[in-house]
């Protein structure tokens, strides 16, 4: 299992689609003039496109935006242990995901208490039909995976995924251009023998304005069924574990006196 050093910084690395960034911890403050806000150090864009990015089309941020042009268009690139990542926490985000700032901060705080787990938002499960294990995206009372399109993971898992996970699994990800999130869930569950943690009530994070997405392909779900069955064969068993736990903030849906304020208004 990767060594998780709790003496390292409490910052986090943020991945936005093909983007990494470093963020610090925000502090909960009940003053109305002191908003909770993470401190971003930089954004690292891992670009898988055929043409180099036009940087002038990207938003101007208060931190540097660094572009890395990938030589190979692979979903495995999102889990490469880039040398720029010097924090324990990595926030992995697809480029079509939209999260509120307070949702990210809350999930980060949950992750800090469970650093060896995947902690995040879109939840999925595996299901058994006869002798087959299938991918299941339906709303149910239990889950066994948190998709890395919006999730926190420890940076040690990036190195482990790239250099410790069986190569045939990464090859399957490249073959299908799919399933890298399932591969990470299988691998972390295999290493820890614990389920992931879901935060907030968000189940699926859609992008109405996005014209194309990988999940909209006809073969998307068929490939994910096959991935789960293939990964199970590679490991020799199914390491995914079910959980019925969802984490919300302590004061979620709690009525407070008018002179009190919640740290997280919506979660």
């Amino acid at each position: 299992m990767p060594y998780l050093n709790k003496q390292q910084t409490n910052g986090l690395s943020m991945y936005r689609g093909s983007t990494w960034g470093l963020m610090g911890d925000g502090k909960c403050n009940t003053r109305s003039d002191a908003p909770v806000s993470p401190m971003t150090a930089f954004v690292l864009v891992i670009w898988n496109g055929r043409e180099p990015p036009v940087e002038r089309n990207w938003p101007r941020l208060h931190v540097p935006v660094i572009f890395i042009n990938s030589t190979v268009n692979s979903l495995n690139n999102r889990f490469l242990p880039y040398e720029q990542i010097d924090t324990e926490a990595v926030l992995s985000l697809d480029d079509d995901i939209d999260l509120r700032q307070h949702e990210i901060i809350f999930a980060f705080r949950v992750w800090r208490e469970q650093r060896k787990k995947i902690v995040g938002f879109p939840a999925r499960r595996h299901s058994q039909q006869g002798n087959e294990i299938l991918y299941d995206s339906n709303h149910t009372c239990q889950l066994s995976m948190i998709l890395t399109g919006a999730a926190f993971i420890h940076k040690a898992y990036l190195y482990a995924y790239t250099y410790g996970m069986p190569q045939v699994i990464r090859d399957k990800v490249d073959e299908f251009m799919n399933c890298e999130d399932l591969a990470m869930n299988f691998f972390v569950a295999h290493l820890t023998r614990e389920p992931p943690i879901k935060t907030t009530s968000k189940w699926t994070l859609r992008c109405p304005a996005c014209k194309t997405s990988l999940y909209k392909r006809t073969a998307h779900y068929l490939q994910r069924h096959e991935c789960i069955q293939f990964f199970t064969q590679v490991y020799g068993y199914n390491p995914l574990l079910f959980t019925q736990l969802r984490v919300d903030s302590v004061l979620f849906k709690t009525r407070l006196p008018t002179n009190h304020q919640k740290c997280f208004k919506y979660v």
Side-chain angles (χ1 to χ4, degrees), residues 41 56 62 66 96 219 245:
R56 67 174 181 271
H62 66 285
I66 305 170
D96 57 356
L245 175 68

Side-chain angles (χ1 to χ4, degrees), residues 177-205:
M177 198 65 175
N178 199 341
C179 303
E180 85 289 350
D181 48 357
L182 309 187
M184 179 61 83
N185 273 271
F186 263 74
F187 192 46
V188 173
H190 173 67
L191 293 174
T192 65
R193 301 307 301 129
E194 295 182 11
I197 295 178
K198 170 163 178 50
T199 57
T200 79
S201 60
K202 283 194 172 182
W203 192 268
T204 297
L205 307 176

Side-chain angles (χ1 to χ4, degrees), residues 165-174 183 230-231 234-235:
M165 191 178 68
Q167 178 64 43
V168 291
I169 293 180
R170 292 190 297 276
D171 292 342
K172 180 63 70 174
V173 170
D174 285 334
F230 178 74
F231 297 164
V234 172
Y235 284 104

